Amino acid sequence: MRIIALSFALATTLLIPSLAQAAPNCTAEPADKWMPEGAMKAKVAALGYERIKTFKVSGNCYEIYGYTKDGKKAEVYFNPVSGDVVKANIGG
């Protein structure tokens, strides 16, 4: 029984930091201060992100999965108040 509890504690300790890194901290502002989704989608398009597969709220960020104008896959987190890019993973 101790081995199971120890294994669970170790797995939890290793997993929590990786989950915390998944979504950045984009804003402390309440959701009523956020840019409406339609306006954010227009800003995302103006920034050159195309073929958006997913647009969602992730924690306190707007997050998209789509492509850059160069056709590279993009996972991008935006500050929902200003529309600024907070974190971007661009690849192949």
Side-chain angles (χ1 to χ4, degrees):
M1 191 62 132
R2 284 185 171 179
I3 292 173
I4 293 172
L6 182 59
S7 296
F8 179 75
L10 181 60
T12 303
T13 302
L14 295 174
L15 182 62
I16 296 299
S18 66
L19 291 176
Q21 293 176 2
N25 185 16
C26 296
T27 187
E29 294 289 335
D32 65 345
K33 303 278 185 177
W34 291 15
M35 188 181 303
E37 286 188 21
M40 188 65 222
K41 288 177 182 180
K43 182 159 184 146
V44 166
L47 290 171
Y49 297 102
E50 303 172 347
R51 295 187 293 148
I52 305 303
K53 302 282 185 185
T54 304
F55 179 97
K56 65 181 185 176
V57 173
S58 181
N60 59 1
C61 305
Y62 279 138
E63 179 183 10
I64 62 125
Y65 291 89
Y67 293 87
T68 65
K69 60 184 171 189
D70 301 329
K72 294 180 181 173
K73 286 184 179 180
E75 174 188 11
V76 186
Y77 294 87
F78 297 91
N79 178 309
V81 177
S82 66
D84 294 336
V85 173
V86 175
K87 180 181 174 184
N89 297 317
I90 310 296

